[in-house]
Amino acid sequence: MSVEEYFQGYLSFSELKPEERLEALFRFIRAIGREGTTREALERRFPNLSSSQIYERVYRDLYFGDLAYTTRGRIYLTDRGLKVLERGRLTLKDFTEAKAPEWLIKRLTRKARVLHVFIGSDDVTGGRIYWNRSLKKYKLVVKGEKPKIFSKLGIVVHGSIDTGGQRAHERLIVEAKAWTFVNRMLPGDIEDVEEELKNFLDEAITTAFGPAAGALEIKVGASYLSEPYGECYLIDYPEKGFFAEYKHYDKKTGKLKRSSSISFLESEMA
């Protein structure tokens, strides 16, 4: 964790260490400067932060710490804020001497919070996908790369069919998947979508290959996408997509006779 990651939009303020929070607030003080500034200028200065994040840091933290104030649509540093700017750093003592509210002191001094929940591995990069409770977005972590923050998560349920043990002249092997993309969905709700996808996969396989195929289906679990990948193009939940690649083999010779694929949306099944 670092202040740079906060300003790049990868971390929330609560995930910073106490000393990092003070450093982040000082950057806002420096951005306001001796002459003051506007909210629009601050937003341009920190493009990876949302308006609400800037509002909380400047109009709440700095204001209640007697470090900044607003008038006539502009933001200025108080005398205390100007002294901090001249000193070149912000300390907790600046807040206690200003008799800042207890809630502000507690928020600045509490330990860094773990606000991410592990979702699963990413099919695209092999990295790890987390849900960030504060940012209300997903975070992709790939070793050696900058974290990626994104809002739409792909959920894919896989299934397979093998009629090798059936009495027929041909052996049918099918690899199928059902998927959708959810927008900022909480981890607990993702499990419900996975169950919906499993049910849709059963229905889609029955539609594509007949009732007997449904009885032969084996589900192999769910996986996740940080972006559209392969056959899984962007589909917004509750719409769902289905794709299956199937191959027919001669049972006696084991040779491939023909292969093909099929795809459709849930809305197209009606």
Side-chain angles (χ1 to χ4, degrees):
M1 297 182 187
S2 71
V3 177
E4 290 301 329
E5 288 181 294
Y6 168 73
F7 283 103
Q8 290 168 0
Y10 301 146
L11 294 176
S12 67
F13 193 70
S14 297
E15 291 179 283
L16 298 176
K17 298 176 182 177
E19 61 272 20
E20 292 173 332
R21 293 180 195 134
L22 292 171
E23 183 182 342
L25 288 175
F26 179 74
R27 292 200 187 185
F28 285 104
I29 290 175
R30 193 168 56 193
I32 295 170
R34 289 190 167 277
E35 304 302 321
T37 188
T38 64
R39 183 169 179 171
E40 291 77 13
L42 280 179
E43 292 182 358
R44 290 195 296 271
R45 181 75 176 269
F46 304 110
N48 294 318
L49 298 182
S50 66
S51 296
S52 61
Q53 287 175 307
I54 294 174
Y55 180 89
E56 289 175 357
R57 302 290 75 80
V58 176
Y59 295 84
R60 189 172 66 178
D61 295 351
L62 295 186
Y63 174 79
F64 282 101
D66 190 27
L67 294 164
Y69 68 97
T70 60
T71 182
R72 296 181 180 179
R74 290 183 64 83
I75 310 163
Y76 295 94
L77 296 178
T78 62
D79 291 341
R80 188 185 304 277
L82 288 170
K83 289 180 181 178
V84 170
L85 179 64
E86 184 176 350
R87 184 200 307 150
R89 66 187 182 92
L90 178 63
T91 68
L92 184 62
K93 187 177 179 181
D94 293 312
F95 288 91
T96 56
E97 287 184 345
K99 297 182 179 180
E102 185 178 354
W103 58 262
L104 178 54
I105 299 298
K106 285 184 177 180
R107 198 156 55 80
L108 292 174
T109 57
R110 70 187 177 194
K111 294 181 179 179
R113 299 173 64 186
V114 177
L115 296 173
H116 53 268
V117 179
F118 179 63
I119 299 295
S121 297
D122 178 30
D123 282 356
V124 182
T125 63
R128 296 169 68 85
I129 297 175
Y130 298 89
W131 167 255
N132 187 290
R133 294 190 183 111
S134 180
L135 299 177
K136 293 182 174 59
K137 291 184 179 181
Y138 304 102
K139 178 179 180 179
L140 172 65
V141 179
V142 179
K143 189 175 181 180
E145 299 181 11
K146 287 185 177 181
K148 172 186 175 182
I149 301 296
F150 61 101
S151 300
K152 291 189 177 184
L153 173 72
I155 306 173
V156 188
V157 169
H158 305 264
S160 62
I161 298 171
D162 188 342
T163 64
Q166 303 298 304
R167 293 182 178 180
H169 295 297
E170 292 183 350
R171 179 184 184 185
L172 172 66
I173 296 179
V174 179
E175 294 297 332
K177 62 183 70 175
W179 79 93
T180 190
F181 279 79
V182 297
N183 184 33
R184 303 190 184 196
M185 183 172 285
L186 298 175
D189 296 328
I190 288 174
E191 295 179 6
D192 295 334
V193 175
E194 290 176 9
E195 192 62 33
E196 287 184 39
L197 284 170
K198 289 177 183 178
N199 294 333
F200 169 58
L201 185 63
D202 289 339
E203 296 173 6
I205 285 177
T206 299
T207 298
F209 303 103
L216 297 169
E217 178 195 354
I218 299 174
K219 298 186 185 71
V220 294
S223 62
Y224 307 96
L225 301 172
S226 61
E227 60 187 58
Y229 180 69
E231 301 84 16
C232 300
Y233 56 92
L234 183 61
I235 298 173
D236 289 324
Y237 177 79
E239 181 67 283
K240 305 173 187 69
F242 170 78
F243 175 85
E245 183 177 25
Y246 54 98
K247 299 178 180 180
H248 293 266
Y249 294 87
D250 186 288
K251 277 196 173 182
K252 290 184 178 180
T253 65
K255 292 182 178 180
L256 177 67
K257 297 184 67 175
R258 62 187 184 278
S259 65
S260 189
S261 64
I262 184 172
S263 63
F264 50 80
L265 301 176
E266 183 179 34
S267 59
E268 296 172 337
M269 289 176 56

